[in-house]
């Protein structure tokens, strides 16, 4: 956008007269900040000191097990559990949220009951129930309800510990995701679905193309939370003998009794995956924020690059303002 | 009640574009429309004025199947709105039949209601591709022509939030026109705009009226109603109180309620 001539003229007029003298005042002192900073520094030094000098941390043990095959296999199972359970949870959440908002009272009520049940019982109990499903139903069949069955399987073979963990975590997650998706759908203005309907779009098209993409902005942050929470909740699968990260290190320390070092191994891996997920969430949020702000903020990488390329020029030029008014 | 059409071509076809007879609409116990009679001929521009809460917007929403009517009859282009008559019985239309009819009626809203997650171009091509099933290339071609006519050719890749209200409303008009509607409904299209942006939107609507589009415009712009409208309808308390040529109604209202309203707004 070209600078309007009036403002150029105004700038020249200002330059002609001498600028007023710069202010040099004594800044306010903040002794409290110095004290607080000193306390934090001392505490941090104590932490580093104990990490280095306390030999019971056994750092050599930690590093030797950090990338051991058994730990990595456990990590794989943890990631698999997290991804599959979240996928089930999100798909189920969308279906339950749409049911909950349906005009059909039976659909809405059954969604409500599902959420009530799965949020109302501990996920650990749910995992144990799925693990012991064979007690309730020794045989599982597919067929016509109340009629003949075509396929029958032994529940003990069908519901492996891993399958029980995925079912337990995924179905439980669905209840939480349903409320998150519902909040997202409700956050989209009524006018949006009216405009879509006025254009002749069906209710399904309106939901898929107009409502859900906008609801994503509200849905993504809590879903990121849920994913990180799922990563750690998946360690509950250790009680039903799924060899995920926690159970993998438990199996190791039950033999060599290096309990704390191996728990630290697991914790470091949990922290690494959480960091990766947090970064991923940032970029997904950014993608769905398109159109919601006039100008997207720069990503950390873009900021670093801009800083490196323009570090000699101060200050960096602001992004180009989009034209706000009709050109007239 | 029949109206003489002003600048339109009444002889073009016998069936009116919109015909309402004793139309009633209730929200719970609240009667919003209490017996509307209205006739809109092809190529006619009808402006609807009246105090807020008089049922103007509800009337438009009924015509576009966004609301179900409770009593009376409403026809658009000779076909009943919302129902099919067969052997003296009324059958509710299925969703697919209703969406097909909505696709033939364009609607422009007070708050534009552009899709904020789509660019200007994507806003305009969405319904033609998804609803009418025309190819993306053809849809883009047509969208560019419409945006060009609206003076928005250089904003096709912008997001709605990056545009002024006036620009957004002109995109909204182009989006509705992209469906090639036979009838355009305007629900207070300039009420949410800054005063200096109203002119561009009214110009786009005048352009459309000149091209022969049948239009129903709920508005507070008396100047527009006088110059562009063939007919002016004054609504109050769920009824069409008075209709006639805009100049006549504005200058010499025959009803006391019309006179009282006009004395406040003119």
């Amino acid at each position: 956008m070209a600078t309007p001539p009036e403002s150029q003229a105004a700038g020249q007029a200002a330059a002609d007269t001498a600028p007023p003298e710069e202010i040099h005042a004594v800044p306010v002192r903040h002794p409290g900040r110095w004290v607080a900073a000193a306390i934090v520094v001392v505490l941090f030094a104590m932490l580093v000191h104990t990490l280095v000098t306390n030999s019971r941390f056994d750092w050599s043990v930690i590093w030797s097990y950090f990338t051991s095959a058994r730990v990595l296999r456990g990590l794989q199972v943890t990631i698999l559990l997290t991804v599959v359970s979240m996928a089930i949870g999100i798909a189920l959440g969308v279906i339950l949220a749409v049911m909950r908002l349906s005009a059909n009272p039976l659909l809405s009520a059954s969604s409500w009951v599902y959420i009530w049940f799965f949020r109302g019982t501990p996920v650990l109990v749910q995992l144990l129930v799925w693990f012991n499903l064979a007690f309730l139903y020794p045989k599982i069949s597919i067929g016509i309800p109340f009629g003949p069955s075509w396929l029958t399987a032994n529940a003990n073979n069908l519901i492996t510990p891993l399958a029980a963990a995925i079912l337990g975590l995924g179905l439980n997650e669905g209840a939480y995701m349903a409320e998150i998706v519902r909040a997202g759908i409700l956050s989209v203005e009524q006018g949006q679905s009216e405009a879509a309907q006025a254009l002749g779009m069906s209710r399904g098209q309106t939901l898929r193309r107009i409502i859900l993409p906008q609801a994503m902005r509200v849905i993504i942050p809590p879903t990121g939370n849920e994913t990180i929470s799922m990563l750690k909740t998946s360690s509950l699968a250790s009680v039903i003998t799924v060899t995920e990260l926690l159970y993998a290190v438990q199996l190791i320390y039950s033999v060599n009794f290096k309990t704390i070092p191996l728990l630290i191994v697991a914790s470091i891996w949990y922290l690494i995956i959480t960091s990766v997920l947090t970064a991923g969430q940032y970029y997904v949020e950014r993608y769905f924020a398109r159109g919601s702000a006039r100008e997207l903020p720069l990503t950390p990488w873009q900021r670093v690059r801009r800083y490196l390329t323009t570090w000699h020029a101060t200050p960096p030029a602001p992004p180009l303002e989009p034209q706000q008014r009709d050109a007239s | 009640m029949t109206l003489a059409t002003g600048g339109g071509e009444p002889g073009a076809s016998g069936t009116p574009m919109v015909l309402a007879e004793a139309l009633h609409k209730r929200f719970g116990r609240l009667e919003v429309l209490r017996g509307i009679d209205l006739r809109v001929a092809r190529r006619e521009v009808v402006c609807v004025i009246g105090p807020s809460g008089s049922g103007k917007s509800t009337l438009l929403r009924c015509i576009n199947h966004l609301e179900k009517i409770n009593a009376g009859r409403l026809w658009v282009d000779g076909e009943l709105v919302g129902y099919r008559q067969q052997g003296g019985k009324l059958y509710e239309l299925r969703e697919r039949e209703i969406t097909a009819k909505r696709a033939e009626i364009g609607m422009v809203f007070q708050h534009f209601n552009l899709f904020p997650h789509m660019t200007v171009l994507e806003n305009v091509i969405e319904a033609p591709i998804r609803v009418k099933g025309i190819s993306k290339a053809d849809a883009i071609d047509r969208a560019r022509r419409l945006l060009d006519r609206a003076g928005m050719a250089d904003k096709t890749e912008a997001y709605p939030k990056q545009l002024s209200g006036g620009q957004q409303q002109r995109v909204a008009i182009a989006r509705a026109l992209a469906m090639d509607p036979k009838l355009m409904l305007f629900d207070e299209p300039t009420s949410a705009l800054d005063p200096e942006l109203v002119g561009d939107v009214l110009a786009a609507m005048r352009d459309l009226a000149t091209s022969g589009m049948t239009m129903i415009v709920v508005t507070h712009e008396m100047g527009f109603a006088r110059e562009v409208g063939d007919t002016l309808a004054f609504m109050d308390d769920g009824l069409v109180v008075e209709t006639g040529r805009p100049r006549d109604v504005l200058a010499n209202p025959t009803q006391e309620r019309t006179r009282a309203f006009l004395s406040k707004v003119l």
Side-chain angles (χ1 to χ4, degrees):
Chain A
M1 196 163 50
T3 324
E6 309 91 76
S7 75
Q8 264 177 358
Q12 273 161 7
D16 287 344
T17 59
E21 197 188 336
E22 286 275 327
I23 294 174
H24 298 285
V26 179
V28 176
R29 308 290 176 202
H30 297 283
R33 286 187 195 170
W34 288 100
V35 174
I39 293 172
V40 171
V41 167
V42 168
L43 286 175
F44 185 71
M46 285 168 71
L47 178 67
V48 173
H49 180 255
T50 183
L51 284 178
V52 173
T53 58
N54 186 343
S55 60
R56 287 165 191 250
F57 275 111
D58 248 337
W59 287 100
S60 58
V61 175
I62 292 177
W63 297 128
S64 66
Y65 279 103
F66 190 63
T67 51
S68 72
R70 294 169 77 185
V71 169
L72 288 185
R73 227 174 299 129
L75 180 67
Q76 257 177 19
V77 174
T78 287
I79 292 173
L80 174 85
L81 268 181
T82 307
V83 170
V84 176
S85 305
M86 272 317 286
I88 293 175
I90 290 170
L92 204 57
V94 172
I95 294 169
L96 286 167
V98 172
M99 281 170 67
R100 186 95 160 76
L101 296 170
S102 157
N104 184 335
L106 195 63
L107 286 184
S108 168
S110 46
S111 169
W112 186 90
V113 169
Y114 181 99
I115 295 168
W116 169 78
F117 181 82
F118 280 90
R119 281 203 311 191
T121 53
V123 65
L124 183 54
V125 172
Q126 291 172 31
L127 284 172
L128 289 169
V129 168
W130 285 111
F131 187 57
N132 294 297
L133 193 70
F135 173 80
L136 271 181
Y137 302 102
K139 290 203 185 311
I140 295 172
S141 319
I142 298 175
I144 297 168
F146 307 109
S149 58
W150 303 314
L151 269 174
T152 303
N154 192 327
N156 263 330
N157 301 335
L158 201 65
I159 309 286
T160 61
L162 188 67
I166 287 173
L167 276 171
L169 294 172
L171 296 188
N172 183 259
E173 188 55 36
Y176 286 92
M177 282 307 302
E179 291 294 274
I180 291 171
V181 174
R182 188 168 70 99
I185 291 176
L186 290 179
S187 77
V188 180
E189 247 191 293
Q190 178 94 42
Q192 290 292 310
S193 59
E194 269 176 19
Q197 285 177 354
L199 286 165
M201 293 173 79
S202 68
R203 266 190 283 176
Q205 284 174 326
T206 304
L207 184 72
R208 278 196 312 278
R209 301 283 308 169
I210 308 300
I211 305 299
L212 281 181
Q214 294 183 60
M216 288 308 269
R217 253 167 41 72
V218 172
I219 293 173
I220 294 291
T223 304
N225 249 350
E226 288 294 311
T227 310
I228 289 169
S229 169
M230 175 65 81
L231 175 74
K232 294 169 296 172
T233 309
S234 69
S235 62
L236 286 180
S238 60
V239 299
I240 55 171
T241 71
V242 177
T243 322
E244 42 68 65
L245 185 54
L246 180 63
Y247 196 47
V249 300
Q250 281 177 332
L251 287 177
I252 299 170
Y253 72 62
S254 64
V255 177
N256 66 9
F257 302 110
K258 302 278 186 191
T259 308
I260 293 290
L262 278 154
L263 287 176
I264 290 175
V265 167
S267 299
I268 294 175
W269 274 119
Y270 281 121
L271 282 170
I272 289 174
I273 305 293
T274 302
S275 310
V276 172
L277 289 175
T278 307
Q281 181 185 343
Y282 174 85
Y283 283 96
V284 176
E285 267 179 42
R286 216 180 121 80
Y287 173 77
F288 282 104
R290 72 196 192 285
S292 70
R294 291 208 170 103
E295 202 70 49
L296 279 181
L298 297 175
T299 64
W301 270 122
Q302 286 173 331
R303 242 175 276 169
V304 167
R305 240 180 298 153
R306 169 172 287 224
Y307 180 74
L308 290 178
T309 52
T310 61
W311 64 278
H312 47 276
T314 53
L320 202 64
E321 279 282 320
Q323 242 171 295
Q324 295 309 320
R325 292 272 173 253
D326 300 25
S328 53
Chain B
M1 185 191 63
T2 325
L3 293 174
T5 54
E9 290 172 35
S13 172
T15 48
M17 185 57 87
V18 177
L19 182 62
E21 282 177 3
L23 180 62
H24 281 72
K25 172 65 191 172
R26 278 191 310 273
F27 290 113
R29 287 220 181 130
L30 182 70
E31 275 208 84
V32 183
L33 301 179
R34 304 188 301 132
I36 298 281
D37 294 306
L38 188 72
R39 183 190 182 93
V40 181
R42 277 154 211 284
R43 304 173 73 85
E44 187 179 7
V45 176
V46 175
C47 292
V48 183
I49 60 169
S52 66
S54 57
K56 309 180 298 273
S57 296
T58 306
L59 175 60
L60 288 193
R61 296 166 57 83
C62 286
I63 294 171
N64 204 9
H65 303 70
L66 287 172
E67 303 286 357
K68 251 187 209 167
I69 64 176
N70 295 109
R73 290 284 189 276
L74 179 60
W75 291 267
V76 171
D77 202 12
E79 288 181 13
L80 270 181
V81 167
Y83 303 93
R84 186 162 22 89
Q85 196 154 21
Q86 229 168 359
K89 259 189 177 169
L90 286 183
Y91 296 87
E92 271 187 19
L93 292 184
R94 295 162 190 284
E95 198 204 353
R96 290 187 68 163
E97 296 168 305
I98 290 179
T99 57
K101 295 198 171 186
R102 281 197 193 120
E104 300 180 328
I105 304 173
M107 189 154 183
V108 174
F109 300 86
Q110 180 177 356
H111 295 290
F112 332 131
N113 295 353
L114 291 179
F115 305 132
H117 58 302
M118 296 180 177
T119 64
V120 164
L121 188 70
E122 287 167 348
N123 262 279
V124 180
I125 63 174
E126 176 70 15
I129 292 175
R130 306 271 156 191
V131 178
K132 282 189 138 180
I134 66 178
S135 77
K136 191 170 178 187
D138 288 350
I140 289 176
D141 209 42
R142 184 169 165 70
R144 284 199 191 285
R145 257 181 292 138
L146 285 165
L147 288 168
D148 196 29
R149 196 168 122 191
M152 299 294 296
D154 57 336
K155 296 284 183 197
T156 52
E157 297 310 313
Y159 284 98
K161 280 263 169 67
Q162 298 169 332
L163 304 177
S164 73
Q167 291 173 328
Q168 288 190 51
Q169 194 61 298
R170 274 144 59 199
V171 173
I173 294 172
R175 178 176 72 175
L177 291 177
M179 290 298 284
D180 203 7
K182 55 188 179 190
L183 167 67
M184 283 285 285
L185 308 173
F186 292 85
D187 191 1
E188 302 197 24
T190 58
S191 296
L193 297 178
D194 290 341
E196 80 271 23
L197 305 179
V198 168
D200 289 337
V201 172
L202 291 183
M205 289 166 64
R206 187 175 293 126
D207 179 35
L208 193 58
T210 316
S211 73
M213 176 64 75
T214 312
M215 293 163 61
I216 303 179
V217 184
V218 171
T219 187
H220 296 296
E221 296 288 331
M222 298 302 164
F224 178 84
R226 187 184 296 123
E227 288 160 35
V228 183
D230 299 309
T231 305
L232 184 66
F234 171 69
M235 278 182 72
D236 190 18
D237 202 17
L239 290 170
V240 175
V241 175
E242 182 167 358
T243 51
R245 286 180 50 207
R247 263 165 226 287
D248 300 343
V249 175
L250 290 173
N252 307 302
T254 59
Q255 302 292 319
E256 183 49 44
R257 275 144 87 188
T258 317
R259 205 169 297 142
F261 175 74
L262 289 176
S263 72
K264 278 182 222 156
V265 298
L266 285 181

